[in-house]
Amino acid sequence: MPTTADAVALWVDDASFQLTWAGELLFFATIAWGTGAAGAFGAHGRGSPLRRTTALVALGVALIAFVVVLLALGRLVYPVADIELAVETIVLLESVVIGAVHLALLGLGVVAFTLPVPARSTGARRATVAAGVALGVLFLVGSYPWLLPMWLNLVVAGAVGCWGALVGAAVLVRDRDAART
């Protein structure tokens, strides 16, 4: 991680292509997570009201943080009226991105710990709870991206994506089973 203002500005300039793609992917991920939240906490939801409410609020915090990251990334990589950003502004936006990623992963960690488990069998429920706890710990550790090596940040990002897909699949199965009864 760059440690001076000029190094941050140079890093942003060198990584503008990757930051552009990160922003584009995060846009679609935010829409997918928002849609998943609507399904996960819809009318067929299970679990205690406190757990569901805690998970929903934490996911809301994470989604808002994702939007903040999107806004900051967008301004870093897309010129607005051909106005170049000052080095201090680049450093501020980079700090906002890191802070929002921290907040989003903390929120997702809480969601992973508290999201109600839609499994029928006890074995499947225990495995899902264990996976939720393991992912929650990974998200909490990953909420400090400036302290972690790049490979671990990539593992955390991949885990967020895979976990979202698994939660979505579980919601689809739950809704399909509810429609049959």
Side-chain angles (χ1 to χ4, degrees):
M1 195 65 145
T3 56
T4 66
D6 290 331
V8 169
L10 185 60
W11 178 82
V12 167
D13 189 47
D14 288 344
S16 65
F17 179 75
Q18 292 91 336
L19 293 172
T20 300
W21 274 102
E24 297 301 321
L25 292 172
L26 183 58
F27 172 77
F28 292 109
T30 302
I31 290 173
W33 271 102
T35 304
F41 300 102
H44 302 294
R46 292 188 177 104
S48 76
L50 179 61
R51 282 183 66 156
R52 288 177 48 143
T53 303
T54 302
L56 182 60
V57 169
L59 188 56
V61 167
L63 290 173
I64 291 168
F66 284 160
V67 170
V68 170
V69 171
L70 283 169
L71 292 171
L73 282 177
R75 186 55 189 106
L76 281 174
V77 298
Y78 294 114
V80 176
D82 289 329
I83 298 172
E84 293 293 323
L85 294 176
V87 171
E88 294 81 14
T89 305
I90 292 172
V91 171
L92 175 64
L93 288 173
E94 188 264 346
S95 297
V96 167
V97 167
I98 297 296
V101 167
H102 174 71
L103 179 62
L105 285 169
L106 286 175
L108 290 177
V110 171
V111 174
F113 287 126
T114 59
L115 188 66
V117 179
R120 287 185 180 183
S121 71
T122 304
R125 184 176 306 246
R126 285 183 183 156
T128 306
V129 168
V133 169
L135 287 169
V137 169
L138 180 64
F139 298 159
L140 293 179
V141 168
S143 71
Y144 297 91
W146 62 93
L147 298 175
L148 302 176
M150 183 58 72
W151 68 267
L152 189 52
N153 283 321
L154 291 172
V155 167
V156 171
V160 168
C162 291
W163 180 57
L166 291 173
V167 168
V171 168
L172 288 174
V173 168
R174 181 197 66 207
D175 288 349
R176 185 190 67 210
D177 291 346
R180 287 183 185 167
T181 58

